[in-house]
Amino acid sequence: MSWIYYALAAALALAAADLFVKSAAGKLPDSLGMLLYGIIPFLTGATWVFFDRNRPAFSTPNSSAIVLALCVGVMFTLVTFCMYAAFRTGAPISLASPLIRLGGLIIASIAGVVLWHEPITTRYILGVILACAGLVLMITR
């Protein structure tokens, strides 16, 4: 399967997560929301590890990859905490979600160019400019 289908599925899941956080924010303590959010990936990961533990690649994990995976968890925790806080304090989802998602995507995209020397094309530059302009237009409405 092409990576684009996975990327589209991830975008849909992120959009749904934003809607669920917006709906739950302020109706329960942020800490409980974070705990409930964390239970699902933990149980999913534990189940996956249980079934995947006999594969050869699993038996020799790279310690730096483990640290990087832990960093992913820390960052998603921070994202979730900040989203609950933003929505609890009244952020409109039509502004906060694009700022969070598109802002993060622009930063990650630029990091890909800087850190992994991914190609820069005229279309890429135009896309980044349009994404930034879109954010400015949405936020300053």
Side-chain angles (χ1 to χ4, degrees):
M1 181 183 286
S2 171
W3 66 268
I4 195 78
Y5 296 114
Y6 292 113
L8 290 172
L12 288 172
L14 280 171
D18 288 357
L19 296 172
F20 293 136
V21 171
K22 174 67 174 175
S23 298
K27 296 178 183 166
L28 75 165
D30 293 350
S31 58
L32 180 58
M34 179 74 73
L35 175 66
L36 295 172
Y37 154 75
I39 288 171
I40 301 302
F42 174 79
L43 292 176
T44 303
T47 302
W48 193 352
V49 165
F50 177 77
F51 287 107
D52 202 35
R53 70 185 186 281
N54 294 324
R55 287 182 27 170
F58 189 85
S59 63
T60 57
N62 180 318
S63 60
S64 64
I66 290 172
V67 170
L68 292 170
L70 290 170
C71 290
V72 172
V74 169
M75 291 302 111
F76 273 115
T77 299
L78 185 58
V79 167
T80 303
F81 171 80
C82 290
M83 286 179 64
Y84 268 103
F87 291 137
R88 178 179 28 83
T89 58
I93 194 168
S94 62
L95 296 178
S97 186
L99 176 61
I100 293 164
R101 302 298 183 195
L102 196 51
L105 292 174
I106 291 167
I107 293 166
S109 177
I110 292 169
V113 169
V114 172
L115 299 175
W116 287 279
H117 309 289
E118 295 174 355
I120 300 175
T121 64
T122 304
R123 289 176 63 168
Y124 172 83
I125 293 169
L126 182 60
V128 170
I129 290 169
L130 288 173
C132 291
L135 277 178
V136 168
L137 291 173
M138 284 188 278
I139 299 302
T140 59
R141 62 173 156 158

